């Protein structure tokens, strides 16, 4: 199974609030966020790790290239794409060439979750026959959450900008199979943008999508989110 990280955002809110490092290199409990994901992917059997960064922060590119060069024999190779894109969906598209031949897990670099939840999620996906399994949570701490409609078996019925009687929101972690790449390319050809529109496209194309509930998922968008994320990760309950 492959793993992919979208780390191409500008991180403008963090920089405006005094955080000097590019977002992928911001540390949580002393560990850069991109390193944390690589470590967790390794622990969950990564065959290959693909990362996209932008051209605006050469420091991030240099860091990840050095990280890739230090990989030991037997560890999953790290592929790096360097391109500034207008949205996460466009970043995903730039990564898609590496992901079209295998099941994969995609996330953004600032998505923070408990490792035990993630490992259980990966196992559930690998044991399932669905086309995609989306991480969801009932913890809402997002400025513009994407609400996820589900039935009693947690099959996904739709994605919404408003609650629509939905219990869960998207956690920004996506386990998908190669048929999802066809939907992505259709969305791009139609001039669509934003990951939420891609997810709606998956439903429109009839892919079988399952929700997987995480206890809690956080995003690091603001300087105050760093302390929140560290506290969450340190809470063993």
């Amino acid at each position: 199974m492959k793993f992919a990280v979208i780390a191409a955002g500008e991180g403008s809110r963090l920089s405006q609030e005094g955080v000097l490092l590019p977002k992928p290199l911001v540390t949580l409990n002393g560990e850069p966020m991109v390193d944390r994901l690589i470590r967790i992917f390794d622990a969950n059997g990564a065959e290959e790790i693909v990362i996209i960064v932008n051209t605006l922060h050469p420091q991030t590119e240099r860091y990840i290239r050095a990280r890739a060069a230090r990989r030991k024999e037997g560890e999953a190779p790290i592929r790096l794409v360097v391109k500034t894109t207008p949205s996460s969906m466009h970043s995903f598209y730039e990564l898609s060439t590496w992901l079209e031949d295998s099941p994969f897990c995609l996330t953004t670099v600032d998505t923070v979750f408990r490792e035990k939840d993630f490992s259980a999620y990966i196992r559930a996906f690998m044991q399932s026959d669905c086309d995609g399994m989306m991480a969801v949570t009932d913890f809402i701490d997002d400025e513009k959450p994407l609400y996820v409609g589900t039935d009693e078996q947690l099959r996904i019925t739709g994605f919404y900008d408003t609650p629509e009687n939905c219990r869960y929101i998207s956690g920004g972690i996506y386990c998908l199979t190669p048929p999802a790449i066809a939907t992505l390319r259709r969305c791009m050809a139609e001039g669509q943008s934003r990951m939420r529109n891609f997810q709606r496209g998956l439903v429109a194309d009839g892919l079988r999508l399952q929700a997987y509930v995480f206890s809690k998922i956080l995003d690091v968008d603001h300087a105050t989110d760093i302390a929140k994320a560290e506290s969450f990760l340190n809470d063993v309950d």
Side-chain angles (χ1 to χ4, degrees):
M1 181 172 175
K2 297 184 179 182
F3 291 82
V5 183
I6 295 173
E10 294 182 18
S12 56
R13 285 173 290 191
L14 285 174
S15 62
Q16 289 167 5
E17 295 168 6
V19 177
L20 301 180
L21 287 170
K23 184 184 281 192
L25 305 186
V26 169
T27 62
L28 299 179
N29 296 321
E31 184 177 33
M33 288 196 287
V34 69
D35 277 348
R36 178 175 185 269
L37 289 177
I38 292 169
R39 175 177 58 77
I40 292 171
F41 296 162
D42 282 337
N44 285 277
E47 298 171 4
E48 188 171 69
I49 299 170
V50 191
I51 304 172
I52 182 170
V53 301
N54 62 44
T55 60
L56 306 175
H57 300 294
Q59 180 182 1
T60 305
E61 177 187 353
R62 290 194 300 269
Y63 184 90
I64 295 175
R65 289 199 186 281
R67 184 78 161 76
R70 294 196 304 271
R71 301 292 276 173
K72 298 176 183 176
E73 184 176 353
E75 290 183 324
I78 295 175
R79 313 289 185 192
L80 182 62
V81 176
V82 182
K83 187 169 184 178
T84 300
T85 62
S87 75
S88 291
M89 195 181 88
H90 287 77
S91 292
F92 179 22
Y93 179 77
E94 296 298 328
L95 295 175
S96 64
T97 299
W98 301 100
L99 304 174
E100 59 188 356
D101 61 350
S102 169
F104 61 91
C105 178
L106 171 74
T107 187
T108 52
V109 74
D110 63 335
T111 301
V112 182
F113 46 81
R114 287 199 173 101
E115 294 179 37
K116 64 179 183 179
D117 285 349
F118 185 81
S119 294
Y121 166 60
I122 296 299
R123 288 195 301 270
F125 173 62
M126 295 303 292
Q127 293 167 6
S128 76
D129 61 356
C130 62
D131 297 309
M133 186 174 285
M134 311 309 218
V136 301
T137 179
D138 58 7
F139 174 77
I140 302 177
D141 186 31
D142 196 304
E143 295 171 356
K144 294 181 180 178
L146 176 64
Y147 295 90
V148 183
T150 58
D151 65 14
E152 293 180 355
Q153 287 73 46
L154 289 180
R155 291 184 293 245
I156 293 175
T157 56
F159 296 93
Y160 309 98
D161 292 327
T162 55
E164 302 289 341
N165 297 316
C166 300
R167 177 177 178 182
Y168 301 110
I169 65 168
S170 172
I173 312 170
Y174 321 97
C175 277
L176 297 165
T177 54
I181 301 297
T183 296
L184 172 65
R185 290 173 178 163
R186 175 181 65 77
C187 290
M188 289 291 293
E190 292 173 355
Q192 298 186 46
S193 62
R194 306 188 72 192
M195 283 296 291
R196 61 184 57 196
N197 291 327
F198 159 69
Q199 292 176 80
R200 290 175 179 131
L202 294 173
V203 173
D205 287 349
L207 274 69
R208 297 166 300 156
L209 304 178
Q210 193 77 19
Y212 186 91
V213 182
F214 277 57
S215 59
K216 191 175 181 180
I217 299 174
L218 303 177
D219 290 333
V220 178
D221 291 319
H222 297 279
T224 54
D225 293 334
I226 298 172
K228 281 188 202 176
E230 291 179 329
S231 176
F232 165 56
L233 293 176
N234 291 332
D235 182 1
V236 296
D237 186 15

